[in-house]
Amino acid sequence: PAKIIAVWEGGMSFHGGLIGTIVSLIWFSRRQGIPIYTVADLAAAVTPIGLGFGRLGNFINGELYGRATDVDWCMVFPTGGPACRHPSQLYEASLEGLLLFTVLWMIGRKATPSGTIFWSFITGYGICRLIVELFREPDAHIGFIFGSLSMGQILSLPMIVIGIFMLSLGYQRQVLARRTNHSPTPQ
């Protein structure tokens, strides 16, 4: 159990960082007396910008490269051997960065239930990561977990399921609140 907090030994993946961020957001919100979803929605709205730049950094550093391929835009990475590989970092920067930011920005322009941007981020990130992992080389020390499923895909599946559930719950509560507020008062 002590290895869970041993971040100096590695293991600081996105999914672990997300859990730490959520705990910090809850702590900050309660300490400041701000509704949790207010802070979570604000943080989630801009997170894709950081993710996009982080993936560009991965590309520049030649790390977290893709699987071997023969597509016209494949690249040889210095630490990836002689194989030509998908530039999966650029795929991630485009999906998790640009696309996800655009989707969240469009959602944020509308009146939505509290928490919608946060749960849309969780769902959207899970979907983007699930797709990108089809092209990304799995971590060498982990490999594939179940058949052709990587750890990134396995950790993203619950994000998608929980995100969709929470979005549905938020909209159901909004509909219920509208019905309750607009129902005629009994005589």
Side-chain angles (χ1 to χ4, degrees):
K3 292 284 186 186
I4 292 173
I5 59 169
V7 296
W8 54 90
E9 292 181 17
M12 207 42 199
S13 71
F14 171 82
H15 298 90
L18 177 64
I19 291 169
T21 300
I22 290 170
V23 170
S24 298
L25 286 176
I26 292 169
W27 175 80
F28 176 81
S29 298
R30 289 190 175 157
R31 186 171 170 105
Q32 298 298 319
I34 303 169
I36 292 170
Y37 277 147
T38 299
V39 176
D41 282 344
L42 288 170
V46 296
T47 297
I49 297 169
L51 289 173
F53 282 120
R55 296 309 181 189
L56 290 176
N58 294 144
F59 177 74
I60 292 167
N61 291 332
E63 57 196 18
L64 304 177
Y65 44 77
R67 298 180 192 181
T69 184
D70 61 356
V71 297
D72 291 339
W73 57 89
C74 69
M75 305 180 77
V76 176
F77 290 91
T79 58
C84 204
R85 300 178 174 279
H86 282 285
S88 60
Q89 316 94 320
L90 299 179
Y91 303 167
E92 285 189 272
S94 299
L95 290 175
E96 298 168 5
L98 185 60
L99 177 66
L100 191 52
F101 175 78
T102 302
V103 168
L104 295 177
W105 177 74
M106 291 171 63
I107 290 169
R109 295 183 57 167
K110 299 178 180 183
T112 58
S114 190
T116 298
I117 295 173
F118 174 76
W119 290 113
S120 295
F121 168 77
I122 296 294
T123 307
Y125 178 86
I127 292 168
C128 292
R129 183 71 182 263
L130 197 67
I131 293 167
V132 168
E133 287 285 326
L134 297 171
F135 304 97
R136 184 174 167 184
E137 184 74 25
D139 295 330
H141 65 286
I142 299 174
F144 292 108
I145 306 298
F146 296 113
S148 63
L149 289 178
S150 68
M151 181 61 80
Q153 289 172 310
I154 291 169
L155 294 173
S156 294
L157 286 171
M159 292 176 71
I160 296 167
V161 172
I162 293 168
I164 290 171
F165 174 78
M166 293 303 291
L167 284 167
S168 299
L169 188 63
Y171 278 99
Q172 286 174 0
R173 287 181 178 163
Q174 184 182 46
V175 168
L176 183 61
R178 284 183 184 161
R179 286 182 186 160
T180 304
N181 290 338
H182 292 348
S183 61
T185 50
Q187 299 286 330

